[in-house]
Amino acid sequence: MSARLTTAQPYALGLFRIVVGLLFACHGAASLFGVLGGAVGTDGGTVDAGTWPGWYAAVIQLVCGSLVLLGLGTRAAAFLASGSMAYAYFKVHQPNALWPLENGGEASAMFCWAFLLLVFTGSGALGLDRLFARRTAARREPAAQQATVAA
């Protein structure tokens, strides 16, 4: 059973990446465009453009969430997203109480750790990162075969 689970690991990781990226991008879209109920605390509205930290956080959520969802530049996007959620937790939530359940920071903490995991694992299966890596490797392979020269 363990061997079968191991062979499915890249696909499970790919699905994990897709779900986390989609949920994160939805947070950004809600804050920037007022969709899906709008920004938290605005009664369905949006975050004012350029306001710190809400608007910048929403842009990071939308852009990084979309990149992670697609599996494009996953490690860099996940690193930025993880850092933004660590900032959100420690600057916005943690001063109110110690535990995430008490301070309302469960989502920030979970997103932070989920994205940190993706920094170390990469995109898994079903990501554009792998597609581009295959194309690049296919282009380099014929050139390496022609490089042998007899003296």
Side-chain angles (χ1 to χ4, degrees):
M1 172 124 170
S2 181
R4 293 183 82 184
L5 291 174
T6 301
T7 58
Q9 186 175 10
Y11 299 101
L13 184 59
L15 290 173
F16 173 78
R17 173 189 49 78
I18 289 168
V19 169
V20 169
L22 176 65
L23 293 174
F24 203 58
C26 286
H27 275 277
S31 296
L32 291 174
F33 308 120
V35 297
L36 304 170
V40 175
T42 62
D43 294 327
T46 61
V47 175
D48 292 332
T51 58
W52 178 259
W55 185 81
Y56 292 95
V59 170
I60 289 171
Q61 290 168 355
L62 182 62
V63 172
C64 291
S66 298
L67 289 172
V68 168
L69 169 67
L70 296 171
L72 185 61
T74 303
R75 290 177 193 255
F79 182 75
L80 182 58
S82 179
S84 74
M85 288 295 97
Y87 177 88
Y89 182 76
F90 287 110
K91 284 294 197 177
V92 177
H93 299 286
Q94 200 274 330
N96 298 328
L98 179 62
W99 296 102
L101 189 60
E102 295 175 322
N103 63 31
E106 300 97 338
S108 295
M110 287 298 293
F111 274 126
C112 179
W113 285 103
F115 283 119
L116 190 62
L117 177 66
L118 290 172
V119 169
F120 289 96
T121 61
S123 62
L126 312 171
L128 294 179
D129 285 341
R130 284 197 173 195
L131 178 66
F132 291 139
R134 280 190 215 133
R135 285 186 180 176
T136 304
R139 282 190 210 134
R140 289 182 188 163
E141 190 174 300
Q145 290 173 354
Q146 295 173 0
T148 55
V149 177

